[in-house]
Amino acid sequence: MGWDQQRDLDFYHEAGITSVGLSLRKLEAMGWEMASRAVRDADLRVTNVLALGFPLTDRGAWPLHQQRLCAALDAAAGMRAESFVLTTGPAGSMAWEEAATALEAALAPVLHAASAVGIPLLIEHTNSLRVDVSFLHRLADAIDLARDIGAGVLMEVNACWAERGLAVTIDNGVDAIGVVQVSDFVVGTMATPDRAVVGDGHVPIPRIVARLERAGYRGVYDIELIGPRIEQEGYGGAIARSMAAMEEILGGLQSGAEGGQA
């Protein structure tokens, strides 16, 4: 998280990584013109650009953020980004239904801009401790809300792996899932974010991936690693081990050859 965009790009080149998700914050800090050129020159497949959502209780702040996200969508199109991901933003003390209504209103011009440039807009659900960035924590709720407002979903495995009826939710909602974000979780962890390398924790990732593949998911698996375990090991080793684990999981599935990629 502390690296800037150029250091990320240098790392991707050194590690032979060609498919990436990018942070709106880092791209903006680099400057859109320079960042767009650098990403294109690196010949990267940009599977998603990730940004934070709206302060839903502060309508006065919406127009500026709407303008920012619409400008980011234009730049993302120039990078041939395949999706644009947003958390909902904090809802304060609003009821869930109030927050959903506010989100729909806040996103209206952004959804229009996404449609205009041909980039799917995906809503990310989060761990329930992260009410500072989202009011949407269950995958089932994310799918319902996304369908209501005309968006898609980023499925965050770290946030929904223990969710009731997950297999049924995947089967019934796979058409709405545009990206699957993968990392592991060690039971007993009391803070967030504290992700673990794929295979180092207790999340039944092989079972979840198998269900996604059987349901017809053919998108990417986005490895998101953040937190003290990752910092202690170092990004290079943690990313390499997670990629190897995901490749092994996908390779071991009967549908792996025609399914998604890590």
Side-chain angles (χ1 to χ4, degrees):
M1 288 295 288
W3 291 5
D4 61 20
Q5 187 61 71
Q6 188 57 57
R7 188 172 180 187
D8 285 348
L9 295 174
D10 292 342
F11 170 74
Y12 299 148
H13 176 72
E14 293 162 5
I17 294 170
T18 58
S19 297
V20 301
L22 299 176
S23 160
L24 173 60
R25 174 182 61 82
K26 292 187 180 186
L27 293 168
E28 283 183 327
M30 190 178 199
W32 278 118
E33 184 176 349
M34 183 179 296
S36 296
R37 183 169 58 251
V39 171
R40 289 195 300 268
D41 289 348
D43 196 26
L44 292 169
R45 177 188 178 189
V46 180
T47 63
N48 65 91
V49 174
L50 174 63
L52 296 179
F54 290 83
L56 294 173
T57 58
D58 183 5
R59 288 178 175 261
W62 292 3
L64 187 61
H65 197 45
Q66 288 165 339
Q67 293 170 20
R68 176 186 179 224
L69 294 176
C70 290
L73 277 161
D74 284 337
M79 300 176 193
R80 300 183 297 277
E82 297 172 11
S83 63
F84 194 87
V85 181
L86 280 175
T87 58
T88 67
S93 60
M94 284 195 294
W96 194 96
E97 293 77 9
E98 286 182 277
T101 298
L103 179 65
E104 183 174 11
L107 278 182
V110 184
L111 281 164
H112 179 77
S115 177
V117 297
I119 298 179
L121 191 146
L122 309 180
I123 303 300
E124 178 181 0
H125 63 106
T126 67
N127 183 294
S128 58
L129 284 175
R130 295 309 307 269
V131 292
D132 57 317
V133 296
S134 179
F135 68 88
L136 199 57
H137 307 301
R138 299 176 65 246
L139 175 62
D141 289 338
I143 290 171
D144 287 345
L145 181 56
R147 283 177 169 160
D148 285 345
I149 66 177
V153 171
L154 180 145
M155 174 181 170
E156 172 54 271
V157 171
N158 204 277
C160 70
W161 64 277
E163 190 171 310
R164 180 184 180 186
L166 181 61
V168 174
T169 298
I170 290 171
D171 289 347
N172 293 338
V174 69
D175 59 299
I177 299 172
V179 172
V180 175
Q181 207 168 72
V182 183
S183 60
D184 218 330
F185 177 84
V186 177
V187 172
T189 300
M190 297 295 183
T192 185
D194 190 1
R195 307 293 177 87
V197 167
V198 174
D200 281 5
H202 296 88
V203 179
I205 295 173
R207 186 180 76 209
I208 293 171
V209 170
R211 192 74 189 202
L212 282 157
E213 295 285 317
R214 285 199 299 271
Y217 178 71
R218 295 296 180 263
V220 298
Y221 294 91
D222 181 88
I223 297 169
E224 184 184 65
L225 300 175
I226 181 175
R229 295 174 195 275
I230 306 305
E231 295 282 348
Q232 183 175 4
E233 177 170 347
Y235 287 109
I239 290 170
R241 291 201 300 116
S242 287
M243 289 176 63
M246 283 302 298
E247 287 166 356
E248 182 177 355
I249 289 168
L250 288 165
L253 295 174
Q254 186 174 8
S255 61
E258 60 187 82
Q261 318 107 61

